[in-house]
Amino acid sequence: MRRSTFTVLALSLATAPALAQGGDATCPRDVVVAQSMQRQALDQLEQAELSDIAKSCRVWRRHVDTMRRVAAVYGRCLSGGERNAGLAQVQGSEKEFAEAIRTRCKGQ
């Protein structure tokens, strides 16, 4: 699970647009912040101690929350293929980790 997610997130950061195309004047800044949040989430996943399920579950929950927030920015600020690709990547990651939480984090 982790390797494929890391690859997708790394690729999304490498191909993310330099400028946001949405009509909101704050979009360029918001996209940069969202990309930073996405990088930090990736770093946290890489550093997570998988042998401690309680810690892993906390990191996964933060990751899901972050991916939802990033998706909101991408949905508002990007357009066309960049929007579709960005949303597919962060929503796919969110779904993957939400499923891991449902199956592995019961009672955590």
XYZ file of all heavy atoms in Angstrom:
820
model
N 0.829 -1.189 0.000
C 0.000 0.000 0.000
C 0.872 1.251 0.000
O 0.645 2.153 -0.763
C -0.919 -0.005 1.219
C -1.627 1.299 1.404
S -2.774 1.387 2.772
C -1.732 1.179 4.161
N 1.881 1.308 0.836
C 2.656 2.526 1.000
C 3.440 2.880 -0.255
O 3.464 4.019 -0.665
C 3.599 2.385 2.185
C 2.866 2.332 3.503
C 3.786 2.145 4.633
N 4.502 3.389 4.850
C 5.540 3.489 5.651
N 6.000 2.463 6.281
N 6.142 4.650 5.816
N 4.099 1.916 -0.883
C 4.953 2.208 -2.033
C 4.162 2.830 -3.170
O 4.571 3.829 -3.744
C 5.657 0.951 -2.506
C 6.647 1.227 -3.612
C 7.419 -0.002 -3.928
N 8.143 -0.406 -2.739
C 9.439 -0.593 -2.680
N 10.153 -0.448 -3.753
N 10.026 -0.949 -1.583
N 3.005 2.257 -3.512
C 2.226 2.806 -4.620
C 1.711 4.200 -4.298
O 1.692 5.081 -5.150
C 1.064 1.881 -4.975
O 0.137 1.821 -3.913
N 1.314 4.422 -3.073
C 0.822 5.741 -2.683
C 1.935 6.768 -2.733
O 1.735 7.874 -3.219
C 0.209 5.683 -1.273
O -0.875 4.769 -1.310
C -0.290 7.047 -0.840
N 3.118 6.405 -2.264
C 4.240 7.331 -2.295
C 4.598 7.695 -3.724
O 4.862 8.850 -4.037
C 5.470 6.744 -1.608
C 5.286 6.513 -0.141
C 5.882 5.439 0.478
C 4.509 7.357 0.639
C 5.721 5.219 1.832
C 4.338 7.142 1.992
C 4.953 6.072 2.586
N 4.577 6.713 -4.610
C 4.896 6.975 -6.012
C 3.892 7.926 -6.625
O 4.269 8.890 -7.295
C 4.925 5.653 -6.799
O 5.901 4.794 -6.207
C 5.276 5.889 -8.250
N 2.620 7.687 -6.393
C 1.568 8.556 -6.945
C 1.707 9.964 -6.385
O 1.632 10.948 -7.131
C 0.173 7.982 -6.652
C -0.914 8.994 -6.952
C -0.045 6.724 -7.469
N 1.911 10.086 -5.087
C 2.032 11.414 -4.493
C 3.273 12.139 -5.011
O 3.223 13.329 -5.308
C 2.069 11.326 -2.971
C 0.745 11.001 -2.306
C 0.939 10.784 -0.812
C -0.274 12.067 -2.546
N 4.373 11.429 -5.137
C 5.595 12.054 -5.645
C 5.395 12.537 -7.074
O 5.812 13.641 -7.435
C 6.768 11.075 -5.563
N 4.755 11.719 -7.893
C 4.486 12.130 -9.271
C 3.547 13.321 -9.329
O 3.716 14.215 -10.143
C 3.893 10.965 -10.067
C 4.859 9.840 -10.400
C 4.117 8.679 -11.038
C 5.978 10.329 -11.302
N 2.568 13.343 -8.447
C 1.625 14.466 -8.468
C 2.323 15.762 -8.100
O 2.003 16.817 -8.638
C 0.453 14.210 -7.530
O 0.853 14.296 -6.182
N 3.262 15.697 -7.195
C 3.988 16.911 -6.811
C 4.902 17.374 -7.934
O 5.071 18.568 -8.150
C 4.789 16.663 -5.534
C 3.941 16.426 -4.291
C 4.828 16.023 -3.125
C 3.122 17.642 -3.941
N 5.466 16.434 -8.658
C 6.373 16.791 -9.746
C 5.625 17.394 -10.930
O 6.179 18.209 -11.664
C 7.149 15.560 -10.200
N 4.375 17.000 -11.125
C 3.633 17.474 -12.290
C 2.595 18.525 -11.952
O 1.842 18.944 -12.816
C 2.923 16.292 -12.980
O 2.024 15.701 -12.054
C 3.921 15.266 -13.481
N 2.538 18.958 -10.711
C 1.540 19.956 -10.312
C 1.800 21.277 -11.032
O 2.939 21.643 -11.293
C 1.581 20.170 -8.807
N 0.748 21.994 -11.364
C 0.908 23.247 -12.093
C 1.549 24.328 -11.242
O 1.399 24.355 -10.023
C -0.526 23.632 -12.452
C -1.339 22.990 -11.385
C -0.631 21.694 -11.048
N 2.265 25.199 -11.891
C 2.933 26.294 -11.181
C 1.932 27.344 -10.714
O 2.100 27.949 -9.667
C 3.986 26.932 -12.083
N 0.900 27.580 -11.493
C -0.098 28.584 -11.143
C -1.491 27.984 -11.149
O -1.819 27.170 -11.998
C -0.060 29.745 -12.148
C 1.216 30.565 -12.171
C 1.160 31.569 -13.314
C 1.420 31.287 -10.857
N -2.276 28.400 -10.229
C -3.662 27.944 -10.193
C -4.457 28.680 -11.255
O -4.179 29.818 -11.592
C -4.242 28.210 -8.816
N -5.472 28.016 -11.769
C -6.244 28.598 -12.853
C -7.654 28.984 -12.441
O -8.428 29.440 -13.258
C -6.307 27.601 -14.012
C -4.932 27.289 -14.558
C -4.977 26.203 -15.606
O -6.037 25.807 -16.077
N -3.829 25.714 -15.985
N -8.013 28.768 -11.196
C -9.357 29.104 -10.739
C -9.567 30.604 -10.715
O -8.635 31.389 -10.813
N -10.799 31.020 -10.557
C -11.123 32.429 -10.554
C -10.820 33.136 -9.241
O -10.804 34.351 -9.173
N -10.567 32.408 -8.205
C -10.303 32.960 -6.880
C -8.908 33.590 -6.858
O -7.924 32.970 -7.243
C -10.402 31.827 -5.853
C -10.350 32.314 -4.426
O -9.772 33.383 -4.171
O -10.881 31.607 -3.562
N -8.811 34.820 -6.386
C -7.525 35.532 -6.352
C -6.526 34.871 -5.410
O -5.317 35.059 -5.554
C -7.752 36.984 -5.944
N -7.004 34.089 -4.461
C -6.095 33.433 -3.518
C -5.620 32.070 -4.021
O -4.796 31.430 -3.368
C -6.767 33.248 -2.141
O -7.873 32.371 -2.275
C -7.204 34.579 -1.555
N -6.117 31.624 -5.155
C -5.794 30.281 -5.632
C -4.293 30.019 -5.827
O -3.826 28.951 -5.425
C -6.560 29.965 -6.907
S -8.228 29.338 -6.552
N -3.529 30.915 -6.422
C -2.098 30.587 -6.577
C -1.430 30.263 -5.234
O -0.701 29.271 -5.123
C -1.513 31.845 -7.217
C -2.661 32.428 -7.978
C -3.865 32.166 -7.104
N -1.726 31.061 -4.228
C -1.154 30.809 -2.897
C -1.712 29.521 -2.314
O -0.989 28.711 -1.742
C -1.448 31.984 -1.962
C -0.976 31.754 -0.522
C -1.463 32.847 0.413
N -2.898 33.071 0.360
C -3.786 32.421 1.114
N -3.408 31.532 1.982
N -5.069 32.694 1.004
N -3.012 29.323 -2.450
C -3.658 28.145 -1.891
C -3.107 26.853 -2.498
O -2.931 25.855 -1.795
C -5.169 28.209 -2.091
C -5.824 29.313 -1.275
O -5.149 29.900 -0.393
O -7.014 29.598 -1.527
N -2.840 26.864 -3.796
C -2.289 25.670 -4.446
C -0.882 25.383 -3.918
O -0.543 24.232 -3.641
C -2.305 25.809 -5.983
C -1.493 24.705 -6.647
C -3.735 25.791 -6.492
N -0.067 26.415 -3.742
C 1.276 26.220 -3.197
C 1.195 25.640 -1.788
O 1.923 24.704 -1.433
C 2.085 27.538 -3.216
C 3.385 27.406 -2.438
C 2.358 27.959 -4.649
N 0.296 26.167 -0.978
C 0.113 25.654 0.391
C -0.370 24.207 0.342
O 0.121 23.352 1.091
C -0.855 26.550 1.190
C -1.238 25.904 2.514
C -0.231 27.917 1.430
N -1.315 23.907 -0.536
C -1.836 22.542 -0.654
C -0.733 21.574 -1.084
O -0.637 20.456 -0.567
C -3.002 22.496 -1.641
N 0.120 21.999 -2.005
C 1.236 21.153 -2.432
C 2.197 20.902 -1.276
O 2.696 19.791 -1.107
C 1.970 21.788 -3.609
C 1.160 21.782 -4.882
C 1.789 22.628 -5.966
O 2.560 23.539 -5.703
N 1.446 22.326 -7.202
N 2.429 21.911 -0.473
C 3.284 21.757 0.704
C 2.664 20.782 1.701
O 3.355 19.921 2.261
C 3.518 23.116 1.361
O 4.262 22.973 2.542
N 1.357 20.915 1.914
C 0.651 19.998 2.810
C 0.760 18.563 2.296
O 0.956 17.624 3.072
C -0.825 20.395 2.925
C -1.058 21.685 3.673
S -2.751 22.324 3.519
C -3.744 20.907 3.884
N 0.666 18.400 0.991
C 0.746 17.081 0.380
C 2.149 16.497 0.599
O 2.281 15.318 0.947
C 0.426 17.203 -1.110
C 0.106 15.909 -1.786
C -0.376 16.115 -3.209
O -0.526 17.247 -3.681
N -0.630 15.036 -3.902
N 3.185 17.308 0.437
C 4.570 16.846 0.679
C 4.762 16.448 2.134
O 5.378 15.433 2.437
C 5.573 17.934 0.302
C 5.916 17.965 -1.171
C 7.104 18.884 -1.438
N 6.837 20.272 -1.116
C 6.231 21.139 -1.918
N 5.829 20.751 -3.106
N 6.044 22.381 -1.540
N 4.240 17.255 3.052
C 4.367 16.945 4.479
C 3.638 15.653 4.820
O 4.138 14.842 5.612
C 3.824 18.092 5.330
C 4.708 19.307 5.316
C 4.080 20.476 6.054
O 2.894 20.501 6.353
N 4.904 21.478 6.363
N 2.478 15.441 4.233
C 1.732 14.206 4.474
C 2.527 13.003 3.987
O 2.585 11.964 4.663
C 0.370 14.263 3.781
N 3.166 13.136 2.847
C 4.008 12.070 2.314
C 5.173 11.785 3.267
O 5.463 10.627 3.581
C 4.531 12.452 0.924
C 5.501 11.492 0.267
C 4.881 10.125 0.065
C 5.975 12.060 -1.053
N 5.820 12.836 3.745
C 6.922 12.664 4.697
C 6.460 11.947 5.958
O 7.147 11.066 6.473
C 7.533 14.017 5.068
C 8.300 14.659 3.935
O 8.632 13.964 2.946
O 8.555 15.881 4.031
N 5.304 12.314 6.460
C 4.781 11.677 7.676
C 4.482 10.202 7.445
O 4.734 9.378 8.321
C 3.540 12.411 8.171
C 3.848 13.774 8.743
C 2.611 14.557 9.111
O 1.482 14.123 8.894
N 2.813 15.735 9.677
N 3.965 9.871 6.270
C 3.709 8.466 5.963
C 5.010 7.678 5.905
O 5.089 6.557 6.399
C 2.966 8.328 4.633
C 1.507 8.710 4.617
C 0.966 8.637 3.201
C 0.693 7.819 5.540
N 6.022 8.267 5.295
C 7.307 7.583 5.183
C 7.954 7.364 6.538
O 8.648 6.383 6.742
C 8.247 8.382 4.283
C 7.854 8.338 2.827
C 8.723 9.225 1.956
O 9.438 10.104 2.490
O 8.680 9.051 0.727
N 7.719 8.259 7.471
C 8.335 8.179 8.791
C 7.494 7.406 9.798
O 7.948 7.156 10.913
C 8.612 9.586 9.321
C 9.610 10.341 8.490
C 9.709 11.804 8.887
O 9.141 12.222 9.887
N 10.425 12.579 8.097
N 6.293 7.019 9.418
C 5.389 6.341 10.358
C 5.975 5.007 10.795
O 6.542 4.261 9.988
C 4.027 6.130 9.712
N 5.832 4.719 12.050
C 6.273 3.454 12.635
C 5.134 2.453 12.476
O 4.168 2.477 13.231
C 6.632 3.651 14.103
C 7.099 2.401 14.789
C 8.294 1.757 14.121
O 9.303 2.447 13.894
O 8.208 0.555 13.808
N 5.253 1.582 11.482
C 4.167 0.659 11.177
C 3.996 -0.430 12.230
O 2.946 -1.054 12.302
C 4.381 0.025 9.805
C 4.273 0.990 8.628
C 4.521 0.268 7.321
C 2.915 1.654 8.608
N 5.012 -0.659 13.053
C 4.873 -1.689 14.083
C 3.975 -1.225 15.230
O 3.486 -2.035 16.003
C 6.245 -2.097 14.623
O 6.863 -0.991 15.260
N 3.738 0.074 15.331
C 2.851 0.623 16.363
C 1.549 1.033 15.691
O 1.454 2.104 15.086
C 3.517 1.818 17.036
C 2.707 2.385 18.189
O 1.468 2.180 18.219
O 3.303 3.041 19.056
N 0.552 0.184 15.794
C -0.705 0.415 15.077
C -1.396 1.699 15.521
O -1.987 2.402 14.702
C -1.652 -0.806 15.172
C -2.812 -0.660 14.188
C -2.171 -1.012 16.579
C -2.428 -0.728 12.762
N -1.324 2.037 16.794
C -1.983 3.264 17.272
C -1.358 4.490 16.616
O -2.075 5.394 16.166
C -1.895 3.358 18.786
N -0.032 4.527 16.538
C 0.641 5.657 15.885
C 0.337 5.676 14.395
O 0.110 6.737 13.810
C 2.146 5.592 16.122
C 2.551 5.938 17.529
C 4.053 5.900 17.688
C 4.461 6.194 19.125
N 5.912 6.099 19.315
N 0.358 4.507 13.782
C 0.046 4.432 12.351
C -1.350 4.956 12.077
O -1.558 5.713 11.131
C 0.165 2.991 11.854
O 1.489 2.551 11.911
N -2.298 4.563 12.914
C -3.675 5.014 12.714
C -3.792 6.526 12.828
O -4.522 7.149 12.054
C -4.602 4.320 13.706
S -4.809 2.550 13.356
N -3.074 7.126 13.760
C -3.096 8.591 13.892
C -2.528 9.249 12.631
O -3.099 10.221 12.118
C -2.310 9.026 15.121
C -3.073 8.840 16.425
C -2.390 9.549 17.580
N -1.071 9.022 17.884
C -0.823 7.969 18.671
N -1.825 7.324 19.244
N 0.406 7.578 18.896
N -1.410 8.724 12.137
C -0.807 9.285 10.924
C -1.753 9.111 9.747
O -1.928 10.033 8.937
C 0.565 8.626 10.644
C 1.092 9.004 9.277
C 1.566 9.012 11.726
N -2.374 7.952 9.632
C -3.296 7.707 8.523
C -4.499 8.631 8.586
O -4.954 9.134 7.565
C -3.753 6.252 8.515
C -2.649 5.273 8.236
C -1.397 5.535 7.734
C -2.687 3.875 8.458
N -0.678 4.386 7.638
C -1.437 3.347 8.078
C -3.655 3.008 8.962
C -1.139 1.991 8.159
C -3.357 1.652 9.042
C -2.116 1.156 8.639
N -5.012 8.877 9.788
C -6.154 9.790 9.933
C -5.772 11.209 9.525
O -6.545 11.905 8.858
C -6.690 9.754 11.356
C -7.495 8.509 11.659
C -8.111 8.539 13.048
N -8.807 7.298 13.317
C -8.312 6.281 14.025
N -7.110 6.372 14.578
N -9.014 5.180 14.198
N -4.598 11.655 9.946
C -4.119 12.988 9.533
C -3.958 13.036 8.022
O -4.273 14.048 7.385
C -2.787 13.316 10.218
C -2.930 13.873 11.607
C -1.645 14.500 12.110
N -0.493 13.628 11.993
C 0.014 12.881 12.970
N -0.531 12.902 14.165
N 1.071 12.129 12.764
N -3.448 11.940 7.443
C -3.252 11.885 6.002
C -4.592 12.021 5.266
O -4.702 12.791 4.312
C -2.559 10.569 5.616
C -2.331 10.443 4.149
N -1.314 11.108 3.501
C -3.002 9.760 3.199
C -1.365 10.831 2.206
N -2.383 10.011 2.005
N -5.590 11.296 5.714
C -6.922 11.360 5.092
C -7.463 12.780 5.192
O -7.969 13.330 4.206
C -7.875 10.330 5.739
C -9.320 10.598 5.350
C -7.465 8.918 5.344
N -7.354 13.385 6.356
C -7.830 14.759 6.538
C -7.083 15.713 5.599
O -7.699 16.564 4.948
C -7.647 15.190 7.996
C -8.118 16.606 8.225
O -9.306 16.898 7.955
O -7.296 17.439 8.681
N -5.782 15.556 5.510
C -4.984 16.418 4.634
C -5.370 16.228 3.180
O -5.525 17.216 2.440
C -3.480 16.141 4.830
O -3.137 16.425 6.182
C -2.627 16.989 3.895
N -5.545 14.995 2.737
C -5.910 14.755 1.345
C -7.273 15.357 1.021
O -7.474 15.882 -0.072
C -5.901 13.256 1.024
C -4.511 12.617 1.040
S -3.305 13.372 -0.079
C -2.324 14.337 1.058
N -8.184 15.342 1.972
C -9.495 15.970 1.749
C -9.351 17.478 1.608
O -10.003 18.106 0.761
C -10.446 15.620 2.888
C -10.904 14.179 2.841
C -11.767 13.815 4.013
N -12.169 12.412 3.912
C -12.576 11.679 4.917
N -12.664 12.202 6.137
N -12.911 10.424 4.750
N -8.513 18.074 2.433
C -8.302 19.523 2.355
C -7.601 19.900 1.054
O -7.952 20.897 0.410
C -7.514 19.994 3.576
C -8.358 19.877 4.840
C -7.667 20.136 6.146
N -6.592 21.081 6.127
C -5.591 21.069 6.997
N -5.542 20.155 7.941
N -4.642 21.976 6.937
N -6.612 19.116 0.652
C -5.909 19.375 -0.609
C -6.886 19.224 -1.781
O -6.889 20.047 -2.706
C -4.691 18.433 -0.754
C -4.098 18.506 -2.152
C -3.624 18.781 0.293
N -7.730 18.203 -1.742
C -8.707 17.995 -2.817
C -9.648 19.198 -2.945
O -9.997 19.594 -4.057
C -9.510 16.721 -2.570
N -10.033 19.776 -1.815
C -10.909 20.949 -1.863
C -10.235 22.112 -2.590
O -10.860 22.795 -3.398
C -11.316 21.361 -0.448
N -8.960 22.312 -2.326
C -8.214 23.384 -3.005
C -8.079 23.075 -4.487
O -8.329 23.932 -5.338
C -6.826 23.592 -2.358
C -5.983 24.561 -3.183
C -6.977 24.095 -0.932
N -7.672 21.851 -4.807
C -7.510 21.488 -6.215
C -8.842 21.602 -6.959
O -8.883 22.075 -8.092
C -6.959 20.072 -6.345
C -5.495 19.929 -5.968
C -4.889 18.693 -6.001
C -4.723 21.015 -5.586
C -3.556 18.536 -5.665
C -3.394 20.863 -5.236
C -2.808 19.618 -5.286
O -1.487 19.466 -4.953
N -9.914 21.185 -6.322
C -11.221 21.276 -6.959
C -11.645 22.707 -7.231
O -12.286 23.004 -8.236
N -11.277 23.607 -6.335
C -11.649 25.016 -6.473
C -10.714 25.774 -7.398
O -11.158 26.658 -8.141
C -11.637 25.670 -5.083
C -11.943 27.150 -5.064
C -12.083 27.699 -3.652
N -10.996 27.372 -2.753
C -9.863 28.079 -2.649
N -9.670 29.150 -3.376
N -8.927 27.711 -1.796
N -9.450 25.423 -7.393
C -8.451 26.280 -8.023
C -7.881 25.769 -9.345
O -7.304 26.555 -10.095
C -7.298 26.518 -7.063
S -7.764 27.494 -5.612
N -7.960 24.506 -9.619
C -7.399 23.980 -10.857
C -8.500 23.738 -11.869
O -9.679 23.708 -11.521
C -6.629 22.683 -10.577
C -5.477 22.791 -9.584
C -4.811 21.435 -9.404
C -4.473 23.832 -9.998
N -8.109 23.537 -13.113
C -9.099 23.268 -14.150
C -8.538 22.257 -15.140
O -7.333 21.972 -15.162
C -9.488 24.559 -14.877
O -8.376 25.104 -15.549
N -9.430 21.733 -15.942
C -9.052 20.828 -17.015
C -8.368 19.559 -16.535
O -8.695 19.001 -15.488
N -7.397 19.128 -17.318
C -6.680 17.897 -17.021
C -5.896 17.955 -15.724
O -5.780 16.948 -15.016
N -5.359 19.137 -15.403
C -4.616 19.284 -14.146
C -5.542 19.065 -12.951
O -5.166 18.404 -11.980
C -3.976 20.666 -14.070
C -2.883 20.864 -15.081
C -2.423 22.305 -15.169
O -3.226 23.210 -14.864
O -1.266 22.506 -15.549
N -6.733 19.600 -13.048
C -7.710 19.416 -11.972
C -8.076 17.948 -11.836
O -8.075 17.392 -10.737
C -8.963 20.245 -12.252
C -10.027 20.125 -11.173
C -11.260 20.972 -11.549
N -12.218 21.024 -10.482
C -13.166 20.098 -10.300
N -13.259 19.072 -11.127
N -14.009 20.209 -9.291
N -8.389 17.314 -12.961
C -8.785 15.904 -12.932
C -7.669 15.023 -12.390
O -7.916 14.145 -11.561
C -9.199 15.437 -14.329
C -10.455 16.127 -14.820
O -11.243 16.645 -14.038
N -10.640 16.152 -16.133
N -6.444 15.253 -12.846
C -5.313 14.436 -12.387
C -5.033 14.665 -10.907
O -4.824 13.717 -10.148
C -4.074 14.747 -13.226
N -5.015 15.930 -10.497
C -4.749 16.250 -9.093
C -5.794 15.659 -8.167
O -5.466 15.059 -7.135
N -7.064 15.820 -8.541
C -8.139 15.266 -7.723
C -8.085 13.743 -7.683
O -8.275 13.143 -6.624
C -9.503 15.726 -8.232
C -9.882 17.162 -7.904
C -11.191 17.543 -8.587
C -9.989 17.362 -6.400
N -7.823 13.118 -8.809
C -7.753 11.650 -8.844
C -6.656 11.146 -7.918
O -6.848 10.163 -7.193
C -7.512 11.169 -10.273
N -5.529 11.823 -7.896
C -4.419 11.385 -7.065
C -4.713 11.540 -5.582
O -4.548 10.593 -4.811
C -3.152 12.144 -7.452
C -2.639 11.720 -8.809
C -1.598 12.654 -9.360
O -1.373 13.733 -8.838
N -0.953 12.245 -10.429
N -5.157 12.716 -5.171
C -5.372 12.918 -3.736
C -6.609 12.168 -3.241
O -6.607 11.641 -2.123
C -5.409 14.413 -3.341
C -4.061 15.066 -3.594
C -6.515 15.171 -4.030
N -7.646 12.082 -4.060
C -8.833 11.338 -3.645
C -8.548 9.837 -3.608
O -9.059 9.130 -2.735
C -10.010 11.661 -4.559
C -10.538 13.059 -4.328
C -11.592 13.485 -5.336
O -11.687 12.941 -6.439
N -12.393 14.475 -4.969
N -7.729 9.354 -4.524
C -7.336 7.946 -4.497
C -6.550 7.611 -3.243
O -6.783 6.577 -2.603
N -5.641 8.489 -2.874
C -4.863 8.289 -1.651
C -5.761 8.342 -0.422
O -5.654 7.517 0.489
C -3.766 9.347 -1.551
O -2.985 9.142 -0.402
N -6.670 9.301 -0.410
C -7.612 9.422 0.715
C -8.439 8.150 0.863
O -8.599 7.621 1.968
C -8.518 10.634 0.502
C -9.544 10.852 1.606
C -10.874 10.174 1.345
O -11.277 10.079 0.178
O -11.496 9.719 2.323
N -8.932 7.625 -0.235
C -9.747 6.408 -0.181
C -8.930 5.209 0.283
O -9.410 4.383 1.071
C -10.379 6.135 -1.548
C -11.490 7.091 -1.890
C -12.041 6.836 -3.271
C -13.070 7.909 -3.618
N -13.530 7.806 -4.997
N -7.711 5.097 -0.204
C -6.850 3.983 0.178
C -6.595 3.964 1.685
O -6.715 2.925 2.344
C -5.525 4.071 -0.577
C -4.565 2.957 -0.260
C -3.268 3.063 -1.031
O -3.121 3.975 -1.882
O -2.381 2.231 -0.773
N -6.262 5.131 2.242
C -5.963 5.180 3.668
C -7.225 5.142 4.520
O -7.196 4.626 5.639
C -5.066 6.373 3.990
C -3.644 6.088 3.623
C -3.151 6.439 2.382
C -2.812 5.426 4.505
C -1.855 6.144 2.018
C -1.507 5.127 4.155
C -1.023 5.479 2.912
N -8.334 5.655 4.016
C -9.599 5.537 4.749
C -9.977 4.065 4.883
O -10.449 3.622 5.941
C -10.700 6.325 4.046
N -9.738 3.299 3.831
C -10.003 1.863 3.890
C -9.063 1.178 4.890
O -9.493 0.313 5.659
C -9.849 1.231 2.499
C -10.087 -0.261 2.477
C -11.491 -0.670 2.908
O -12.432 0.119 2.760
O -11.633 -1.805 3.419
N -7.798 1.560 4.903
C -6.853 0.996 5.870
C -7.300 1.307 7.292
O -7.213 0.447 8.183
C -5.451 1.539 5.618
N -7.800 2.500 7.507
C -8.294 2.881 8.839
C -9.481 1.999 9.219
O -9.540 1.489 10.336
C -8.676 4.379 8.869
C -7.421 5.244 8.766
C -9.467 4.715 10.132
C -7.693 6.696 8.446
N -10.407 1.822 8.285
C -11.587 1.001 8.573
C -11.215 -0.441 8.917
O -11.816 -1.049 9.791
C -12.548 1.001 7.382
C -13.454 2.206 7.320
C -14.553 2.044 6.275
N -14.051 2.014 4.908
C -13.719 3.089 4.200
N -13.826 4.285 4.737
N -13.287 2.971 2.973
N -10.219 -0.987 8.229
C -9.885 -2.388 8.432
C -8.868 -2.633 9.537
O -8.895 -3.686 10.163
C -9.364 -3.022 7.127
O -8.199 -2.347 6.694
C -10.440 -3.003 6.051
N -7.995 -1.681 9.804
C -6.900 -1.926 10.732
C -6.947 -1.119 12.022
O -6.196 -1.398 12.949
C -5.564 -1.633 10.047
C -5.344 -2.511 8.840
C -4.030 -2.191 8.193
N -3.914 -2.896 6.922
C -2.969 -2.664 6.060
N -2.046 -1.760 6.315
N -2.924 -3.341 4.940
N -7.791 -0.126 12.082
C -7.745 0.795 13.216
C -8.984 0.709 14.109
O -9.330 1.683 14.776
C -7.560 2.230 12.723
S -6.027 2.486 11.822
N -9.600 -0.407 14.140
C -10.778 -0.573 15.004
C -10.347 -0.456 16.462
O -9.453 -1.154 16.918
C -11.440 -1.914 14.738
C -12.024 -1.966 13.345
C -12.652 -3.292 13.057
C -13.301 -3.163 11.700
N -13.237 -4.214 10.840
N -10.975 0.458 17.171
C -10.657 0.643 18.583
C -9.404 1.462 18.845
O -8.990 1.625 19.983
N -8.810 1.985 17.816
C -7.572 2.774 17.985
C -7.884 4.251 18.006
O -8.480 4.828 17.258
C -6.585 2.481 16.857
C -6.116 1.073 16.828
C -5.323 0.667 18.055
O -4.559 1.457 18.609
N -5.525 -0.532 18.520
